[in-house]
Amino acid sequence: MRLKGAEILIEELIKQGVDTVFGYPGGAVLDIYDELYKSSDRINHVITAHEQGACHAADGYARATGRTGVVIATSGPGATNLVTGIANAYLDSVPLVAITGNVSINALGRDSFQEVDIVGITQPVVKHNFMVRHVQELEQTIKEAFLIANSGRKGPVLIDIPKSVQTDLCEYGIAVVPRMPDKPKVPFVKEKVLEAIRNCQRPFIYCGGGVISANAEKEVLELSHRLDAPVGLSMMGRTALPDSYEYNLGMCGMHGQYAATKAQSECDLMLAVGVRFSDRATGDINEYTRKCTVIHIDIDKAEFGKNVNSDFCLQGDVKTILQDLLSELKGVRHQEWRNEVEEFKKVVIPDRPGEFCPKNIINAVRKHTTDTTVVATDVGQHQMWTVQFYDFEAPRTLLTSGGLGTMGYGLGAAIGGCIGSGRKRTVLFTSEGSFGMNLNELCTVVSQDLPITVVILDNNVLGMVRQWQGIFYEGRYSQTTLNRKTDFAALADAFGAKGYSVSTLEELEKVLTETDTGDTGSYVIDCHINQDEKVLPMIPPGKSIKNIILKD
């Protein structure tokens, strides 16, 4: 069967199980969009307001579903507008295939209209990228791209398809299904690992995003039960365990829960599962593992020794390795350690009944959601308040930018997460700073009839950076006090959503009740909070647990 390159692309996307793509059309992808039009009964396309929003939507879709996100953009500025979204997916290990058009093969290298070397530009932030120069390579390239995006440590892959390749003809259905070559793994002696686990008295499990990627949540929970071990989470590992689990201590690190970070610092054995030991999670590296044996389990051997030197490195699929260890481990109890951890848990941020503060706002919103509601965030103080205070009970219900820290990520991610969850009610916690970066995607929310509730924690400042300026720069608030006059409620109405502005818990509860409309309606709730709200507790960069800040 002879098909044009654009036809091959759409047929192969469908064969790969893709039912939704996000993107924005342009001259260099007109043939692709023509084929999307012809196949609209088999594959859905969501047009966004901006290519960055489309990439974040594909990212959010992938995180919420566990499937590969797909985004399409034209050449030149369309392609370059994807770069932040691709880098965000790369640093958070999100499976993503980005498809860009380019000028025809005979026009490459001539500074043609909207020509750009997107392969060279994205090289540092993809697992792999392809420039397809011959239509005969296209089918195989697409198969390889999806395989690479989903194998090993997952991540983004880019396919650049010149316009001439999209129109050329060749036989389709003859490419061989590829397989990833077996690579040598880091060897380890299982008996010594088991001995270290059996001999410990103060075990601690540090759980990261690799657990969610490997669908190993049940294994981590069983390991915690079997070892009587408390669990701390990286931000990317949030949702790996239900918050209702008594031994889930919450997030570790610079902006984490005191109990989680304290238990991590006092353990004699740390089982680090699917984590990369980010600098904000570890603080002072010299202090971080001084007291404990470290067993690091990860699919990516490049993470071993990169930030923390571990005593044992177990490379491979997290789920498989945990199942193997569990088959050899019997249940034990560490009552003295459990008692200590219970004391750590008593050190909490005080409640502020009746106050219109972040914790109470987030708790109020939580009462109007379900355990499977997808929650997205942007980046900043509101992000930390959300991961600290929102009660997550199910995996893949948090969409947040961990590695790159991308302000403006949240609304696009909420769009993708909402569509991926079957167009169920989705919540975005954001701030006036982050929301201002990509609020244009409200037009996508409304035009797609997506049930998304946007909650803006609006303190009129760039709160996280301002907080650092207050602590480390003697209160010199350089360019972090915004004092913008934007009326977000009116702006929401202009986009076709319904906007609200609230300043008390009573007003918020009234609005949440009014907007509790199930899976219909798009809402923006602007919550005006005090400029001086802080993220607590906090460990200053490069410091140890001894430097934790629990008050202003």
Side-chain angles (χ1 to χ4, degrees):
M1 177 171 55
R2 288 176 64 78
L3 299 177
K4 294 192 305 180
E7 293 178 278
I8 290 172
L9 172 63
I10 302 308
E11 290 299 325
E12 193 58 35
L13 288 178
I14 293 170
K15 185 177 286 187
Q16 293 291 333
V18 177
D19 58 15
T20 302
V21 298
F22 304 85
Y24 206 95
V29 287
L30 281 177
D31 291 280
I32 293 173
Y33 273 81
D34 191 47
E35 295 305 324
L36 280 168
Y37 179 90
K38 295 174 185 177
S39 299
S40 58
D41 59 330
R42 297 187 294 153
I43 187 169
N44 180 44
H45 179 278
V46 176
I47 182 172
T48 56
H50 189 281
E51 290 89 353
Q52 183 180 342
C55 201
H56 291 327
D59 174 307
Y61 178 92
R63 296 191 202 217
T65 64
R67 301 165 64 186
T68 304
V70 178
V71 61
I72 301 174
T74 193
S75 62
T80 57
N81 282 344
L82 296 178
V83 174
T84 297
I86 292 171
N88 189 83
Y90 180 72
L91 287 175
D92 285 350
S93 305
V94 177
L96 183 77
V97 172
I99 298 162
T100 54
N102 214 325
V103 299
S104 295
I105 291 293
N106 61 6
L108 287 172
R110 299 174 182 270
D111 291 335
S112 303
F113 177 67
Q114 291 191 335
E115 180 192 358
V116 73
D117 179 14
I118 195 61
V119 170
I121 289 170
T122 58
Q123 192 69 53
V125 292
V126 293
K127 284 190 70 178
H128 194 73
N129 55 21
F130 299 89
M131 159 68 83
V132 183
R133 293 182 173 272
H134 305 282
V135 69
Q136 292 83 2
E137 302 169 354
L138 182 57
E139 181 184 355
Q140 185 74 20
T141 297
I142 299 165
K143 292 181 186 294
E144 290 181 9
F146 275 83
L147 181 65
I148 293 168
N150 279 283
S151 63
R153 181 173 179 169
K154 299 178 182 181
V157 177
L158 181 133
I159 309 172
D160 195 33
I161 310 175
K163 190 171 177 63
S164 56
V165 175
Q166 298 170 35
T167 57
D168 288 345
L169 289 164
C170 79
E171 286 294 321
Y172 172 65
I174 60 175
V176 177
V177 178
R179 67 181 296 273
M180 294 298 291
D182 294 328
K183 296 181 180 180
K185 293 185 177 181
V186 176
F188 69 92
V189 180
K190 186 168 72 170
E191 289 73 21
K192 291 187 177 180
V193 172
L194 291 169
E195 181 182 3
I197 294 174
R198 288 171 180 145
N199 290 340
C200 74
Q201 298 301 314
R202 304 155 73 87
F204 178 84
I205 299 171
Y206 179 34
C207 175
V211 172
I212 298 169
S213 182
N215 299 313
E217 297 89 354
K218 290 182 180 178
E219 285 74 16
V220 170
L221 186 62
E222 178 59 28
L223 187 66
S224 174
H225 283 305
R226 200 80 62 89
L227 301 183
D228 201 26
V231 182
L233 310 168
S234 73
M235 186 162 68
M236 295 306 301
R238 214 59 185 83
T239 80
L241 291 180
D243 282 346
S244 57
Y245 175 50
E246 63 175 346
Y247 239 11
N248 178 359
L249 304 184
M251 190 172 74
C252 298
M254 182 177 182
H255 298 300
Q257 303 290 357
Y258 176 85
T261 306
K262 182 67 173 174
Q264 190 179 59
S265 72
E266 298 298 329
C267 70
D268 65 359
L269 175 76
M270 183 193 303
L271 279 153
V273 188
V275 294
R276 62 186 182 86
F277 294 112
S278 162
D279 58 313
R280 292 203 176 180
T282 62
D284 184 352
I285 289 291
N286 295 321
E287 290 282 336
Y288 184 66
T289 58
R290 186 170 56 85
K291 298 179 180 179
C292 67
T293 299
V294 178
I295 299 173
H296 191 181
I297 305 172
D298 204 278
I299 201 165
D300 184 4
K301 68 178 180 181
E303 292 301 330
F304 297 141
K306 185 172 79 174
N307 294 319
V308 169
N309 291 320
S310 303
D311 298 275
F312 301 97
C313 299
L314 282 60
Q315 184 192 357
D317 177 69
V318 166
K319 188 181 187 78
T320 302
I321 290 175
L322 291 180
Q323 288 174 340
D324 189 22
L325 292 178
L326 285 167
S327 69
E328 304 280 351
L329 292 170
K330 296 180 179 179
V332 295
R333 287 292 172 265
H334 301 288
Q335 191 58 51
E336 186 176 338
W337 175 229
R338 179 177 279 270
N339 292 341
E340 282 190 59
V341 172
E342 289 302 316
E343 291 299 311
F344 301 158
K345 289 166 67 174
K346 293 178 181 178
V347 181
V348 296
I349 299 172
D351 287 331
R352 295 157 59 183
E355 290 190 40
F356 197 61
C357 62
K359 183 176 183 179
N360 293 341
I361 293 169
I362 291 167
N363 287 341
V365 174
R366 179 65 175 94
K367 293 174 184 177
H368 290 264
T369 62
T370 70
D371 289 349
T372 57
T373 297
V374 172
V375 174
T377 82
D378 270 301
V379 170
Q381 284 179 315
H382 71 273
Q383 178 188 34
M384 298 305 154
W385 288 323
T386 302
V387 296
Q388 285 183 349
F389 301 135
Y390 191 93
D391 289 329
F392 292 97
E393 290 295 310
R396 298 190 178 279
T397 51
L398 172 64
L399 315 177
T400 196
S401 174
L404 194 62
T406 307
M407 294 176 69
Y409 165 80
L411 191 52
I415 290 167
C418 183
I419 292 172
S421 68
R423 295 177 178 259
K424 300 294 184 184
R425 172 66 55 191
T426 300
V427 174
L428 167 63
F429 287 105
T430 184
S431 64
E432 77 293 346
S434 284
F435 191 58
M437 291 196 169
N438 277 333
L439 59 80
N440 51 342
E441 294 303 340
L442 268 179
C443 71
T444 309
V445 173
V446 174
S447 64
Q448 290 288 321
D449 293 322
L450 297 178
I452 293 176
T453 299
V454 178
V455 180
I456 306 173
L457 298 179
D458 185 351
N459 55 8
N460 225 349
V461 296
L462 298 178
M464 185 65 81
V465 183
R466 189 175 186 272
Q467 182 172 335
W468 290 341
Q469 287 175 337
I471 296 171
F472 306 120
Y473 295 89
E474 299 176 343
R476 295 186 294 275
Y477 299 124
S478 176
Q479 304 304 314
T480 53
T481 303
L482 298 176
N483 284 332
R484 291 173 180 165
K485 306 303 180 184
T486 307
D487 185 339
F488 288 112
L491 191 66
D493 291 339
F495 272 104
K498 178 64 176 172
Y500 300 87
S501 182
V502 297
S503 300
T504 67
L505 287 178
E506 292 74 20
E507 291 175 348
L508 176 61
E509 183 56 41
K510 181 180 178 181
V511 169
L512 290 172
T513 301
E514 181 180 331
T515 59
D516 196 354
T517 56
D519 300 328
T520 59
S522 308
Y523 308 109
V524 175
I525 307 172
D526 190 9
C527 300
H528 299 278
I529 62 173
N530 192 292
Q531 280 189 350
D532 296 321
E533 292 288 349
K534 299 290 192 299
V535 173
L536 300 172
M538 177 175 165
I539 305 171
K543 303 298 182 180
S544 72
I545 186 67
K546 296 173 184 177
N547 303 100
I548 195 164
I549 299 171
L550 286 171
K551 59 182 179 179
D552 293 346

